[in-house]
Amino acid sequence: MIYMYKIGVIGDKDSILPFKALGIDVFPVIGPEEARKTLDTLAKSKYGVVFITEQTAQLIPESIERYNREPVPAVILIPSNQGSLHIGLNRINENVEKAVGSNIL
Amino acid sequence: MKVGKILKVSGPLVVAEGMDEANVYDVVQVSDRKLIGEIIEMRGDRASIQVYEETTGIGPGEPVYTTGEPLSVELGPGLIESMFDGIQRPLNAIMEQVGDFLEKGVVVPSLNREKLWHFTPVAKVGDEVKQGDVLGTVQETSVVLHKIMVPYGKTGVVKDIKEGEFKVDETVCVLENGEELTMLQKWPVRRQRGYQNKINPDEPLITGQRVIDTFFPITKGGTAAVPGPFGSGKTVVQHQLAKWADSEIVVYVGCGERGNEMTDVLLEFPEIKDPKTGESLMKRTVLIANTSNMPVAAREASIYTGITIAEYFRDMGYSVAIMADSTSRWAEALREMSGRLEEMPGDEGYPAYLGSRAAEFYERAGKVKCYGSDDRIGALTIIGAVSPPGGDISEPVSQATLRIVKVFWGLDASLAYRRHFPAINWMNSYSLYQSKVDGWMDKNVDEGFSDNRTKAMSLLQEESSLQEIVRLVGRDSLSETDQLKLEAAKSIREDFLQQNAFHDVDTYASLEKQNLMLDLVLHFYDEGLRALKNGMYLNDLMNLEVRDRIARAKYLEESDIAKIKDIKVALTKVIDDLIAEGGILNA
């Protein structure tokens, strides 16, 4: 039997609510403590992909770093409704650089 | 006896002819000033003599008198608390005679002939005594009971023995065969004093130095070398051992090092109280000084003088430790004499017999069953400093020493530079007594002691391999468990291994305290692992307040060491609380 991982999204309520329409679980948070706790809980409860808004991710760099090294969940940074901080894009660039040796994007 | 004539003088080496009656290693008196020398080579009637005093003003044609005796030391009450030069001349008595610096041809008996000692007989009239048997005792200092023994090779039935006040050279005992025994014995320094048989040393010499006792222990009757470049703290390590090691007698040989280091010993030791007896440390110490400005030939002899005195106390059944600082200077003295003798040089100009001479010296250590019918057990521990030029131990003296000694405390300049003292490098030091001592520790200190030691050692080793990765790609690329490992190893280094010799409390740590401290430091690692597994963040662990208390555990007085257990309990509680909170500190 193939195990089905779930998808979750963490961020401020206004930015993430639309994801609910796609059938993704949404977890609105306020403040770093709540964000960190939510991320840790999701990681433990079979979420395969966790989207997190850049604004929220900014508050909890350690936790983001921690899941970087683990296969699941994949923590993916997305812009929020206030626009992008380019953290997510930079991370993609960094990963590309690590993988192929130079920035080909 | 025939009188020889000087042919040649070259520094401390004098060549004389007409010496056909003398033997090699005989003591001679050179010129009419009666400088003391020793024959080290004979060719026909020509003798090469190393002179233990300054030879300025001596020239060819002057006479040389043979004594027909080998270079010997006087053994008897009066040794303790004294300071001798390399050929056992009492420096205090010489100073009273001629002032601060040694002069030529001063003749002072090694042991004070005027002082009266109270002799208490142990043997009774009619007892049959053989060599090594205790005739009586003299309370030499408040902590040292000097046992007067029957000299080697003498046996008989006691005819007369009396209690009372005697000078060292007065007869205290007469045997049936007419032999008169005094409290004074003479023994040639180059000959090892005998014993019944050697015993495998298994009891550690407790030094109160954490890195030594826990990681690289030395046994009573063992041998150790402390090589290190200058400034890395050889002398401080030697001093610490002389101060705190739990041997009953300490012989400190200052061989070719700075005079102020001997001054330090003279000033500090009387003030320090021995933790075991509560008396001044000087009351169990014999000092031999041949500082760098004293005659070089006597430096060669100073090591032998020291070890012979040490052997004498060992024969009384004491545990004796001899510190030689530094054997490199001794080897250099050998080299100088060898060069003047025009011998074929070996590596770096050292004589080819350097290795065998060093072995001869270190092999005089050991735990032995002494002569005497009471089968006393004595131990003689040798700790020799080596000063390899530039700190490179691939040079001949270090190598010759390392071949023989069983414990190697390698001092490291980079650790000293980082102010990590004692700068004993845990990666390349070793102790071949480890397995024996482990058993002893588990039995006498704590049954988990050796397990803890192995664990701490492997953490330190893993740290050094992790450090290489960190240097390449940075600390952040390590997993949190590896980062915790680094943190734990750092804690072992800073909170356990580092020890301040000049701090009143930290200078000495009992085995009990060492055990608790090591346990505490390792407990932090275990608890940290548990916390990480439960989803806690490393940063929160690093900022725990209890870590300060771990770091300060070393400054807890010996009477307060139960508090170390409290810290351990507190640590467990803090971690439990954190896990209960879901791994988040209330910032």
Side-chain angles (χ1 to χ4, degrees):
Chain A
M1 185 195 131
I2 305 163
Y3 190 84
M4 295 291 281
Y5 279 105
K6 290 179 278 185
I7 303 179
V9 53
I10 303 172
D12 58 298
K13 198 172 148 204
D14 295 347
S15 308
I16 63 168
L17 216 49
F19 285 90
K20 207 162 184 171
L22 301 171
I24 296 175
D25 301 340
V26 295
F27 300 93
V29 294
I30 299 160
E33 239 169 78
E34 209 183 328
R36 187 196 232 184
K37 259 187 179 162
T38 317
L39 183 55
D40 288 343
T41 336
L42 294 194
K44 268 188 211 148
S45 40
K46 298 293 171 196
Y47 276 80
V49 179
V50 177
F51 292 105
I52 183 160
T53 62
E54 287 179 341
Q55 268 81 1
T56 313
Q58 230 180 357
L59 305 172
I60 49 167
E62 286 164 29
S63 313
I64 306 288
E65 195 58 40
R66 168 188 264 192
Y67 294 109
N68 253 349
R69 268 190 293 261
E70 284 168 33
V72 277
V75 177
I76 293 154
L77 273 55
I78 51 170
S80 71
N81 60 351
Q82 282 136 35
S84 174
L85 297 168
H86 302 293
I87 309 174
L89 210 59
N90 287 342
R91 274 164 53 91
I92 293 175
N93 279 336
E94 267 171 37
N95 284 337
V96 168
E97 231 178 279
K98 262 188 207 160
V100 292
S102 72
N103 194 349
I104 53 166
L105 290 180
Chain B
M1 218 174 214
K2 223 169 136 185
V3 175
K5 203 171 86 181
I6 297 182
L7 278 181
K8 167 187 151 179
V9 181
S10 154
L13 180 80
V14 167
V15 179
E17 63 176 359
M19 301 288 291
D20 43 339
E21 281 179 14
N23 293 313
V24 78
Y25 292 124
D26 276 358
V27 168
V28 295
Q29 290 168 333
V30 177
S31 94
D32 286 323
R33 297 195 196 178
K34 303 264 158 102
L35 306 187
I36 300 167
E38 185 183 14
I39 300 178
I40 50 174
E41 195 188 56
M42 294 285 301
R43 284 170 198 248
D45 70 338
R46 281 189 184 189
S48 301
I49 300 157
Q50 65 175 350
V51 180
Y52 292 126
E53 295 174 71
E54 280 291 331
T55 51
T56 41
I58 307 291
E62 291 186 54
V64 175
Y65 307 93
T66 320
T67 60
E69 284 177 5
L71 182 65
S72 304
V73 288
E74 294 187 342
L75 303 167
L79 287 168
I80 302 283
E81 284 187 286
S82 302
M83 186 170 189
F84 299 106
D85 81 344
I87 46 172
Q88 214 206 5
R89 289 184 299 179
L91 290 174
N92 279 336
I94 290 181
M95 193 184 80
E96 278 162 27
Q97 255 189 40
V98 295
D100 279 352
F101 288 91
L102 278 178
E103 272 187 30
K104 276 177 279 194
V106 186
V107 181
V108 182
S110 298
L111 296 178
N112 193 334
R113 292 287 193 273
E114 300 307 312
K115 189 160 176 181
L116 289 168
W117 298 96
H118 187 84
F119 176 78
T120 319
V122 171
K124 290 182 291 289
V125 176
D127 282 0
E128 196 175 329
V129 290
K130 55 178 191 187
Q131 62 177 1
D133 279 352
V134 178
L135 287 175
T137 55
V138 169
Q139 192 71 42
E140 188 169 354
T141 69
S142 45
V143 294
V144 176
L145 186 69
H146 196 113
K147 296 173 186 160
I148 307 296
M149 297 169 290
V150 179
Y152 285 118
K154 306 230 162 126
T155 42
V157 178
V158 179
K159 189 172 151 199
D160 182 27
I161 188 165
K162 47 199 167 195
E163 180 168 2
E165 308 281 322
F166 295 99
K167 293 176 184 169
V168 279
D169 52 355
E170 282 175 343
T171 307
V172 290
C173 174
V174 184
L175 299 181
E176 291 284 2
N177 56 11
E179 199 106 49
E180 294 188 347
L181 302 178
T182 64
M183 290 194 272
L184 187 76
Q185 294 188 28
K186 275 196 156 195
W187 189 264
V189 294
R190 292 183 198 276
R191 233 176 78 207
Q192 177 167 11
R193 283 173 68 89
Y195 45 79
Q196 292 190 45
N197 58 299
K198 243 182 183 170
I199 301 169
N200 213 348
D202 51 3
E203 189 190 336
L205 180 78
I206 294 146
T207 63
Q209 309 305 302
R210 289 188 288 267
V211 59
I212 291 175
D213 288 351
T214 306
F215 285 122
F216 309 108
I218 180 173
T219 53
K220 284 182 180 149
T223 48
V226 199
F230 57 75
S232 58
K234 285 186 298 292
T235 301
V236 179
V237 168
Q238 291 270 36
H239 281 195
Q240 284 297 94
L241 293 180
K243 281 177 196 164
W244 303 116
D246 68 338
S247 52
E248 285 143 312
I249 310 283
V250 169
V251 179
Y252 193 93
V253 185
C255 173
E257 290 290 338
R258 289 168 280 260
N260 63 349
E261 285 168 7
M262 289 316 283
T263 318
D264 279 349
V265 174
L266 278 177
L267 292 179
E268 278 176 25
F269 278 31
E271 283 176 21
I272 299 170
K273 295 266 179 290
D274 181 355
K276 226 170 48 183
T277 59
E279 289 281 345
S280 146
L281 282 179
M282 209 57 203
K283 296 208 185 294
R284 57 158 204 189
T285 309
V286 183
L287 297 173
I288 314 278
N290 180 279
T291 55
S292 48
N293 59 345
M294 283 156 88
V296 71
R299 194 161 305 156
E300 200 261 335
S302 66
I303 292 266
Y304 296 104
T305 303
I307 193 125
T308 309
I309 293 173
E311 278 178 341
Y312 174 65
F313 283 106
R314 176 206 68 192
D315 287 348
M316 294 179 202
Y318 289 124
S319 157
V320 187
I322 175 169
M323 326 284 159
D325 187 10
S326 128
T327 55
S328 286
R329 308 285 162 258
W330 165 76
E332 279 159 18
L334 270 186
R335 172 166 71 180
E336 188 172 334
M337 292 315 297
S338 168
R340 289 186 197 278
L341 280 172
E342 298 170 21
E343 288 170 341
M344 184 77 75
D347 281 353
E348 288 185 25
Y350 287 105
Y353 47 80
L354 173 67
S356 60
R357 286 286 169 85
E360 222 169 77
F361 169 64
Y362 281 104
E363 280 304 319
R364 288 171 81 165
K367 189 173 181 180
V368 301
K369 195 192 267 183
C370 315
Y371 278 137
S373 29
D374 56 352
D375 291 341
R376 301 178 295 266
I377 307 284
L380 172 54
T381 315
I382 302 184
I383 296 150
V386 183
S387 334
D392 176 12
I393 60 156
S394 60
E395 54 94 40
V397 185
S398 307
Q399 288 302 312
T401 310
L402 287 184
R403 274 204 292 274
I404 317 151
V405 300
K406 287 200 155 192
V407 181
F408 167 65
W409 296 316
L411 297 179
D412 192 319
S414 69
L415 283 177
Y417 183 73
R418 276 191 273 156
R419 293 283 165 271
H420 176 109
F421 287 113
I424 294 176
N425 187 332
W426 53 89
M427 297 307 293
N428 65 9
S429 301
Y430 60 82
S431 165
L432 300 182
Y433 299 114
Q434 194 97 68
S435 50
K436 283 175 199 156
V437 174
D438 272 351
W440 190 93
M441 293 282 190
D442 287 352
K443 216 172 100 196
N444 293 292
V445 185
D446 187 290
E447 49 188 27
F449 192 89
S450 62
D451 289 339
N452 273 349
R453 179 189 60 73
T454 324
K455 215 158 122 193
M457 202 57 196
S458 65
L459 265 177
L460 288 171
Q461 266 152 7
E462 280 173 60
E463 184 202 23
S464 80
S465 58
L466 284 173
Q467 284 292 359
E468 283 171 23
I469 302 176
V470 168
R471 240 171 274 142
L472 274 178
V473 289
R475 194 187 173 114
D476 291 339
S477 58
L478 292 180
S479 70
E480 288 196 321
T481 24
D482 280 347
Q483 289 191 36
L484 178 72
K485 218 173 256 173
L486 284 184
E487 228 18 80
K490 186 176 154 206
S491 171
I492 296 176
R493 281 190 281 116
E494 291 178 0
D495 306 337
F496 184 75
L497 292 183
Q498 280 189 20
Q499 191 167 2
N500 187 348
F502 302 102
H503 188 281
D504 287 343
V505 177
D506 198 24
T507 182
Y508 176 86
S510 63
L511 283 182
E512 186 64 22
K513 187 177 174 190
Q514 297 187 21
N515 175 43
L516 289 174
M517 282 177 68
L518 188 64
D519 196 45
L520 176 65
V521 171
L522 289 173
H523 189 64
F524 173 74
Y525 177 63
D526 292 340
E527 288 297 296
L529 272 185
R530 181 165 74 98
L532 284 186
K533 215 176 269 169
N534 282 295
M536 259 185 69
Y537 285 84
L538 189 66
N539 261 2
D540 298 340
L541 275 179
M542 298 299 99
N543 300 329
L544 288 179
E545 216 175 296
V546 73
R547 296 196 72 207
D548 280 352
R549 291 181 60 193
I550 297 179
R552 275 193 222 113
K554 59 167 98 164
Y555 301 121
L556 286 174
E557 302 249 7
E558 290 292 334
S559 50
D560 285 348
I561 50 175
K563 282 189 187 158
I564 299 180
K565 283 187 189 142
D566 297 346
I567 303 179
K568 191 174 163 183
V569 174
L571 176 63
T572 317
K573 192 173 172 300
V574 170
I575 302 280
D576 279 346
D577 289 353
L578 277 180
I579 293 173
E581 273 173 52
I584 291 169
L585 268 183
N586 289 324

